[in-house]
Amino acid sequence: VLGVFGESGNTNLGVERIPYSWGGELSYFQTKTVNKAKSSQSLNPIRVRSNQLNMLGDGLDPDVKPKVYTTAKGITALLVSDITMLESAFSFGVGCGYYQDPEDIPGLAHLMEHVIFLGSKENPDPIAWDEFLLKKGGASNAYTSGDSTVFYVLSSPAELESVALYFTKMLTNPVIDESSSVSEIDAVNQEHEKNIPNKVRVMVELALHLAPKSCPATKFGTGSTETLRINTEKKNISLKKALSEY
């Protein structure tokens, strides 16, 4: 299992997140910690600050070997080796989210999350990533919060290097194409529509709406067809330029 958490410039990630595993089950680290404690109690996803990374091993099985590295560019990488696992995975967290959305384009950060998976300049085909992962027996997903965007990818151990290389090219050199980006707005809008009947989500949004207007938490982070397509067209905003600047 490979986890990578990125920090750049003056951005402070604060608390970095290890996402839940696929299927809504406990994350890898939750499962290992629960097993060690011989408890079935559900734990919150482990949140690790930079000065706590070296202490992570205390809560894991003896055979699990976590190591922490920091690159010359200041990116902290947490690597965990566990020979009992049949699959490998990695995640990458970027210290910005919908708090950084422009006031006139709510949902831009969420759209950018989708656009990342549309390919790189080396591999510009927007469906090539999904086909590549399918051949490698892998899977991927991501989420955007107020202050971070996290991508995570699953693959077989033998294919981890090639999958990580492909993903890294998309992250560092994405294809920002007007037509492909517009097509992803439909996917973003579907997520928004799915949230509308969710009473818990509605209550959270209401609480955030009552915050001071200067607070970034009041922003509409999901985005929709109205905010990303209709309004940008009315205001003659170039979505490609906005995504490139973001």
Side-chain angles (χ1 to χ4, degrees), residues 128-178:
W129 169 247
D130 290 333
E131 294 177 344
F132 175 79
L133 269 188
L134 184 63
K135 292 179 181 178
K136 302 295 185 180
S140 67
N141 212 328
Y143 67 84
T144 301
S145 67
D147 61 356
S148 63
T149 305
V150 178
F151 304 88
Y152 44 107
V153 183
L154 182 74
S155 78
S156 65
E159 301 294 346
L160 180 63
E161 185 174 356
S162 63
V163 170
L165 179 60
Y166 194 119
F167 171 79
T168 302
K169 289 180 178 179
M170 295 193 299
L171 185 70
T172 58
N173 204 9
V175 172
I176 301 178
D177 177 77
E178 189 81 33

Side-chain angles (χ1 to χ4, degrees), residues 23-224:
E25 300 173 354
L26 292 177
S27 72
Y28 170 82
F29 290 108
Q30 286 177 287
T31 302
K32 288 295 177 180
T33 306
V34 169
N35 289 344
K36 184 175 180 63
K38 296 183 179 180
S39 168
S40 60
Q41 182 181 4
S42 177
L43 303 176
N44 291 326
I46 288 180
R47 298 185 174 190
V48 187
R49 293 184 183 275
S50 297
N51 62 352
Q52 296 173 328
L53 289 172
N54 290 327
M55 300 168 58
L56 181 61
D58 295 340
L60 302 176
D61 292 342
D63 293 335
V64 179
K65 307 296 184 184
K67 292 185 179 181
V68 181
Y69 299 88
T70 301
T71 70
K73 293 185 177 181
I75 295 177
T76 300
L78 167 65
L79 291 90
V80 181
S81 175
D82 183 354
I83 61 173
T84 67
M85 299 296 291
L86 300 179
E87 295 173 316
S88 296
F90 65 88
S91 65
F92 195 102
V94 183
C96 57
Y98 69 80
Y99 288 172
Q100 283 74 40
D101 279 350
E103 294 294 336
D104 52 356
I105 318 179
L108 185 69
H110 186 196
L111 179 61
M112 187 74 241
E113 170 211 309
H114 283 246
V115 169
I116 290 295
F117 289 122
L118 295 180
S120 65
K121 293 183 179 178
E122 292 87 346
N123 302 294
D125 187 343
I127 64 172
W129 169 247
D130 290 333
E131 294 177 344
F132 175 79
L133 269 188
L134 184 63
K135 292 179 181 178
K136 302 295 185 180
S140 67
N141 212 328
Y143 67 84
T144 301
S145 67
D147 61 356
S148 63
T149 305
V150 178
F151 304 88
Y152 44 107
V153 183
L154 182 74
S155 78
S156 65
E159 301 294 346
L160 180 63
E161 185 174 356
S162 63
V163 170
L165 179 60
Y166 194 119
F167 171 79
T168 302
K169 289 180 178 179
M170 295 193 299
L171 185 70
T172 58
N173 204 9
V175 172
I176 301 178
D177 177 77
E178 189 81 33
S179 58
S180 298
S181 301
V182 167
S183 69
E184 284 302 308
I185 294 176
D186 292 333
V188 168
N189 192 68
Q190 288 176 12
E191 292 186 41
H192 167 56
E193 292 180 343
K194 179 193 67 176
N195 291 333
I196 292 175
N198 187 320
K199 293 182 179 180
V200 174
R201 183 64 180 257
V202 170
M203 293 179 69
V204 171
E205 291 293 336
L206 177 59
L208 296 177
H209 180 72
L210 296 175
K213 296 302 180 184
S214 58
C215 177
T218 60
K219 290 186 175 183
F220 175 39
T222 307
S224 65

Side-chain angles (χ1 to χ4, degrees), residues 4-26:
V4 183
F5 304 90
E7 300 182 52
S8 60
N10 294 324
T11 300
N12 181 10
L13 273 181
V15 178
E16 299 152 35
R17 299 167 179 81
I18 298 173
Y20 280 107
S21 63
W22 288 266
E25 300 173 354
L26 292 177

